């Protein structure tokens, strides 16, 4: 299976909850269901978002039903999903003629001042980014790119909008395709870490690590498309209401928000570009001379506020959706840190059919934030409901065991406190750096990182639960504690000092921000003192520590 196909990897917006990394799990769930994907199989992507799962369903040759309440998602799906590659020649005459149109659009002069919108409200007044003032201007785009969005979006509206379509008879597919390409550009070359609730105070972020992406010129590029024999249906509706209308589905895939992120507010600027209603977003300042409305979030985002983002309503909405979907199989992607407790979710799903689980682990979207607190990996999984079969206790217990085992395995990715481990271990072999918990002998590297025991798989459910509860008590809870443990072990005679010291920059970098400024300075002084006490070892990380100091100075000196 070509999970790295350009259609599944390119021109897809960076997105909270983007499921591209889950595609292998979704495919495995399809295989486990015994379904051979082709044009006779109906796949319903109920919360489409970036559209990557719906694209995958089209890539597999299935008939696709894609839905999302947000208009920008609807446009992306109409443009990249509901447009076959062969239609380029049918609609534009040839690839060359379409490329000529793109070149024409990209070469347009900047819009006059009266027709500038993004440049007026969401970008600095000057082309020189060094002169931008985040206190009085919105810095979502460079001025050059804001002007590019304005001229391209104005052209699309003037030549292919619905009113023009009625007069000229041109295909609405042209409108959606061009606009989808522009939305991808506007979502990618933006001075943010992924969402539009805030922009960086300087272009490129504190460390300037995103500067090339942000500064890259916005222009329309040839779209990545494929052909499919099966039809595609695109909706912009409330998921629970649409579930009552769409019938005869083979696979329904659910990926509700499950957390506090409201997509209408997080991606408001994409809706603004898509709708092009040019709602004024005045740059009014408060008494301190700072913008009153920092991000100028659209007030109409509340119209698509999701019940799945609130603990009180998420369970009820999820139950309503599950019980009203007309689908043979229901696939649900979920993470262990979601709003709905898994036990409750499992209870709802068992009332609809027999459950099975496909799981994997990967690091979740963090929006580039630095944190002193240790970030534990999150478990995401695909829960499959076979609605043609009844649930049974054995399958439910098997799912619980799989998740507990995955959580326990994640413990071996953590860093540990020596003192905590000594207190919780049932038995310790100090010289061999081994200890025993729940009958498992665990080998460690300096009691800091742990190796998975060979007989880990032999743990039964109850022992596994006790093992997890006990070993989790030994984890370093903060980056400061992690650094403290490293320095402790550097004083041991028999520790792997070269391996230990190389982990210092990784932990220190997480403290290099204004939030942890005092802690950073304290730990930086301790680490730099190693240049005298352990000069040979410090040389292994000296360049990295210097670069971290430079980045920290930029981050902490921005007012």
């Amino acid at each position: 299976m070509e999970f790295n196909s350009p259609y599944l990897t390119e021109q897809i917006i960076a997105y909270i909850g983007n499921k591209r990394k889950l595609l292998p799990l979704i495919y495995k769930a399809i295989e486990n269901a015994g379904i051979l994907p082709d044009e006779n199989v109906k796949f319903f992507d109920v919360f489409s978002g970036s559209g990557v799962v719906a694209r995958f369903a089209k890539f597999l040759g299935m008939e696709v039903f894609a839905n999302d309440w947000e208009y920008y998602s609807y446009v992306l799906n109409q443009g990249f999903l509901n447009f076959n590659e062969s239609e380029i020649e049918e609609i534009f005459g040839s690839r060359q003629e379409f490329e000529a149109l793109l070149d024409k659009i990209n070469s347009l002069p900047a819009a006059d001042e009266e027709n500038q919108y993004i440049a007026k409200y969401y970008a600095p007044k000057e082309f020189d980014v060094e002169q931008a003032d985040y206190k009085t201007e919105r810095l979502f785009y460079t001025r050059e790119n804001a002007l590019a969005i304005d001229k391209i979006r104005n052209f699309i509206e003037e030549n292919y909008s619905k009113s023009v379509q009625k007069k000229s008879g041109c295909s609405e597919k042209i409108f959606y395709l061009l606009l989808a390409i522009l939305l991808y550009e506007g979502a990618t070359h933006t001075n943010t870490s992924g969402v539009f609730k805030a922009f960086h105070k300087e272009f490129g972020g504190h460390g300037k690590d995103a500067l090339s992406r942000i500064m890259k010129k916005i222009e329309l590029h040839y779209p990545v498309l494929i052909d499919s024999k099966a039809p595609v249906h695109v909706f912009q509706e409330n998921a629970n209401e649409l579930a009552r209308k769409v019938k005869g589905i083979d696979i329904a895939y659910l990926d509700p928000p499950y957390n506090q992120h409201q997509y209408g507010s997080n991606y408001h600027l994409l809706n603004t570009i898509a709708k092009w209603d040019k709602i004024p977003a005045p740059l009014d300042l408060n008494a301190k001379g700072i913008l009153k409305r920092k991000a100028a979030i659209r007030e109409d985002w509340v119209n698509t506020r999701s019940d799945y983002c609130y603990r009180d309503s998420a369970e009820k909405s999820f139950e309503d959706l599950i019980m009203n979907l007309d689908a043979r199989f229901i696939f649900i992607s979920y993470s262990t840190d979601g709003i709905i407790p898994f036990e409750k979710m499992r209870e709802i799903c068992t009332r609809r059919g027999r459950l099975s689980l496909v799981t994997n682990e990967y690091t979740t979207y963090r929006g580039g934030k630095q944190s002193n607190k240790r970030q534990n990996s999150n478990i995401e999984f695909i829960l499959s409901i076979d609605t043609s079969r009844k649930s049974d206790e054995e399958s439910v217990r098997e799912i619980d065991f799989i998740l507990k085992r995955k959580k326990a395995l994640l413990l071996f990715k953590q860093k540990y406190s020596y003192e905590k481990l000594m207190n919780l271990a049932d038995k310790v072999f100090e010289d061999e750096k081994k200890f025993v918990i729940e009958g498992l002998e665990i080998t460690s590297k300096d009691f800091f990182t742990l190796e998975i025991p060979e007989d880990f798989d032999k743990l039964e459910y109850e022992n596994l639960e006790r093992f997890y509860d006990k070993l989790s008590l030994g984890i370093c809870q903060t980056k400061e504690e992690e650094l403290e443990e490293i320095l402790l072990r550097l004083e041991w005679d028999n520790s792997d000092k070269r391996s230990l010291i190389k982990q210092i920059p990784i932990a220190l970098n997480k403290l290099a921000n204004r939030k942890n400024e005092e802690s950073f300075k304290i730990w930086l002084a301790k680490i730099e003192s190693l240049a005298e006490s352990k000069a040979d070892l410090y040389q292994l990380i000296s360049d990295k520590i210097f670069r971290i100091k430079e980045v920290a100075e930029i981050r902490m000196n921005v007012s």
Side-chain angles (χ1 to χ4, degrees):
M1 177 51 58
E2 298 179 52
F3 296 109
N4 291 323
S5 164
Y7 189 61
L8 305 177
T9 57
E10 299 177 12
Q11 289 183 322
I12 298 172
I13 65 172
Y15 209 56
I16 293 176
N18 191 331
K19 299 305 175 187
R20 187 169 67 83
K21 292 183 179 180
L22 278 183
L23 297 185
L25 286 184
I26 295 171
Y27 186 67
K28 186 176 180 181
I30 294 172
E31 286 187 316
N32 291 350
I35 291 179
L36 181 63
D38 58 29
E39 64 267 28
N40 297 313
V41 176
K42 295 182 178 181
F43 188 99
F44 185 11
D45 186 3
V46 184
F47 301 88
S48 195
S50 69
V52 66
V53 173
R55 288 196 196 191
F56 185 52
K58 178 175 179 175
F59 183 78
L60 293 175
M62 295 185 278
E63 181 176 356
V64 180
F65 298 74
N67 175 65
D68 199 282
W69 214 356
E70 296 300 335
Y71 182 61
Y72 65 82
S73 177
Y74 176 79
V75 171
L76 290 170
N77 282 330
Q78 286 284 15
F80 291 115
L81 188 68
N82 195 26
F83 202 115
N84 283 323
E85 186 175 23
S86 59
E87 290 182 281
I88 293 290
E89 185 172 345
E90 293 173 14
I91 292 176
F92 296 100
S94 67
R95 174 177 178 135
Q96 290 72 26
E97 289 182 73
F98 180 48
E99 288 177 336
L101 174 62
L102 297 181
D103 289 340
K104 173 186 174 181
I105 296 172
N106 292 331
S107 301
L108 289 170
D112 56 42
E113 188 172 349
E114 183 180 348
N115 290 302
Q116 293 174 13
Y117 176 77
I118 299 297
K120 180 178 181 179
Y121 294 120
Y122 295 98
K125 298 181 179 66
E126 303 295 332
F127 285 91
D128 183 356
V129 295
E130 297 298 329
Q131 296 185 41
D133 181 6
Y134 75 92
K135 294 181 179 179
T136 61
E137 301 175 304
R138 299 189 187 100
L139 312 185
F140 284 107
Y141 297 102
T142 63
R143 181 154 192 83
E144 181 181 17
N145 276 340
L147 289 169
I149 294 173
D150 281 332
K151 74 176 185 182
I152 295 171
R153 187 63 185 89
N154 285 333
F155 179 88
I156 295 172
E157 192 70 16
E158 291 165 5
N159 292 275
Y160 302 108
S161 63
K162 287 186 177 180
S163 59
V164 176
Q165 292 166 23
K166 290 180 180 178
K167 295 178 181 178
S168 66
C170 67
S171 172
E172 69 170 5
K173 286 198 167 188
I174 301 176
F175 173 81
Y176 287 120
L177 180 61
L178 295 176
L179 185 50
I181 300 170
L182 177 60
L183 282 182
Y184 168 75
E185 292 287 308
T188 303
H189 306 301
T190 173
N191 189 38
T192 71
S193 292
V195 298
F196 291 87
K197 278 196 168 183
F199 47 80
H200 295 306
K201 294 178 181 178
E202 293 183 338
F203 277 94
H206 296 309
K208 302 295 184 182
D209 54 331
L211 192 59
S212 60
R213 169 182 62 79
I214 293 165
M215 298 291 290
K216 188 173 182 180
K217 184 179 179 180
I218 285 181
E219 55 187 3
L220 299 189
H221 298 280
Y222 195 89
V224 178
L225 303 169
I226 63 171
D227 281 328
S228 175
K229 296 178 182 177
V232 170
H233 317 271
V234 180
F235 304 90
Q236 186 199 356
E237 296 190 32
N238 176 294
N240 287 54
E241 294 177 5
L242 182 61
R244 289 170 163 80
K245 304 175 187 176
V246 179
K247 303 296 182 180
I249 296 297
D250 295 289
I251 301 171
Y253 172 72
L254 310 184
D255 179 36
Y258 291 135
N259 54 45
Q260 74 278 13
H261 298 296
Q262 290 286 353
Y263 287 78
S265 57
N266 274 325
Y267 297 96
H268 67 95
L269 205 42
L270 297 187
N271 272 333
T272 289
I273 295 171
K275 295 180 178 180
W276 212 231
D277 44 11
K278 296 186 177 181
I279 299 172
L283 298 165
D284 296 337
L285 308 181
N286 61 22
K288 295 182 179 180
I290 299 174
L291 280 171
K292 290 182 178 179
R293 297 179 62 209
K294 190 76 173 179
I297 296 174
R298 300 174 62 96
E299 294 181 0
D300 64 355
W301 74 267
V302 298
N303 296 337
T304 54
R305 178 160 40 193
S306 173
D307 289 340
Y308 292 92
C309 294
Y310 304 99
R311 188 175 299 277
D312 293 342
S313 55
E315 289 182 16
K316 184 178 180 181
S317 295
F318 180 77
E319 181 176 12
D320 177 78
L321 181 59
I322 290 294
M323 302 312 292
N324 286 289
L325 271 169
D326 180 22
R328 165 67 192 278
F329 288 94
I330 301 174
F331 294 168
I332 306 154
S333 66
Y334 194 72
S335 63
T336 49
D337 62 356
I339 281 179
I340 304 174
F342 177 70
E343 292 74 15
K344 182 62 180 178
M345 179 193 220
R346 182 193 60 197
E347 176 193 330
I348 293 169
C349 292
T350 53
R351 297 206 299 270
R352 188 66 207 275
R354 192 179 191 280
L355 308 186
S356 60
L357 192 75
V358 181
T359 184
N360 199 357
E361 172 219 338
Y362 70 92
T363 304
T364 54
Y365 176 94
R366 299 271 172 204
K369 289 186 178 179
Q370 303 288 321
S371 176
N372 182 21
K373 186 177 179 181
R374 283 202 55 78
Q375 300 288 0
N376 297 336
S377 294
N378 174 47
I379 301 172
E380 288 224 357
F381 54 84
I382 302 296
L383 185 64
S384 174
I385 310 174
D386 183 346
T387 63
S388 69
R389 302 172 64 185
K390 291 184 178 180
S391 178
D392 58 79
E393 291 185 9
E394 182 180 348
S395 62
V396 171
R397 184 174 177 82
E398 181 181 351
I399 287 171
D400 288 347
F401 180 74
I402 291 171
L403 289 179
K404 180 63 71 174
R405 185 176 181 277
K406 292 295 292 187
K407 289 180 68 176
L409 282 171
L410 292 182
L411 293 175
F412 296 95
K413 291 182 174 287
Q414 306 298 331
K415 307 295 190 299
Y416 285 84
S417 158
Y418 173 72
E419 183 178 351
K420 290 177 183 178
L421 284 181
M422 294 305 99
N423 290 333
L424 63 86
D426 300 327
K427 188 184 296 184
V428 178
F429 304 98
E430 189 85 27
D431 293 341
E432 299 176 66
K433 298 176 182 175
K434 297 180 179 179
F435 60 95
V436 177
I437 294 180
E438 286 297 312
L440 281 185
E441 185 176 277
I442 301 172
T443 301
S444 76
K445 294 180 180 179
D446 298 314
F447 293 106
F448 188 54
T449 58
L450 312 180
E451 297 178 7
I452 302 173
E454 291 183 2
D455 50 355
F456 176 81
D457 290 341
K458 297 179 182 178
L459 278 180
E460 295 183 355
Y461 187 86
E462 289 74 14
N463 302 90
L464 186 62
E465 197 161 23
R466 289 195 296 269
F467 174 84
Y468 176 84
D469 291 342
K470 183 176 286 189
L471 186 55
S472 61
L473 297 175
I475 295 172
C476 292
Q477 296 299 315
T478 66
K479 290 299 177 182
E480 290 183 85
E481 186 178 359
E482 193 173 307
L483 287 167
E484 186 177 352
E485 293 294 327
I486 294 172
L487 295 186
L488 168 68
R489 288 161 175 79
L490 288 178
E491 300 302 322
W492 293 0
D493 292 334
N494 62 343
S495 64
D496 184 355
K497 296 178 178 59
R498 290 175 65 88
S499 175
L500 286 164
I501 202 163
K502 289 178 181 180
Q503 297 189 60
I504 285 178
I506 300 171
L508 182 65
N509 188 50
K510 294 294 184 179
L511 299 176
N513 53 76
R514 296 186 68 187
K515 180 180 178 181
N516 296 299
E517 184 172 356
E518 293 304 316
S519 296
F520 176 79
K521 290 178 179 178
I522 293 171
W523 282 102
L524 178 64
K526 290 182 180 181
I527 292 165
E528 288 185 322
S529 70
L530 296 174
E532 296 182 6
S533 62
K534 293 177 172 49
D536 291 344
L537 285 172
Y538 186 75
Q539 283 300 313
L540 298 174
I541 62 170
S542 59
D543 289 345
K544 290 183 179 179
I545 297 300
F546 179 77
R547 287 196 292 272
I548 291 172
K549 282 177 63 177
E550 286 185 322
V551 171
E553 287 177 7
I554 295 172
R555 291 171 175 167
M556 294 172 188
N557 290 329
V558 176
S559 58

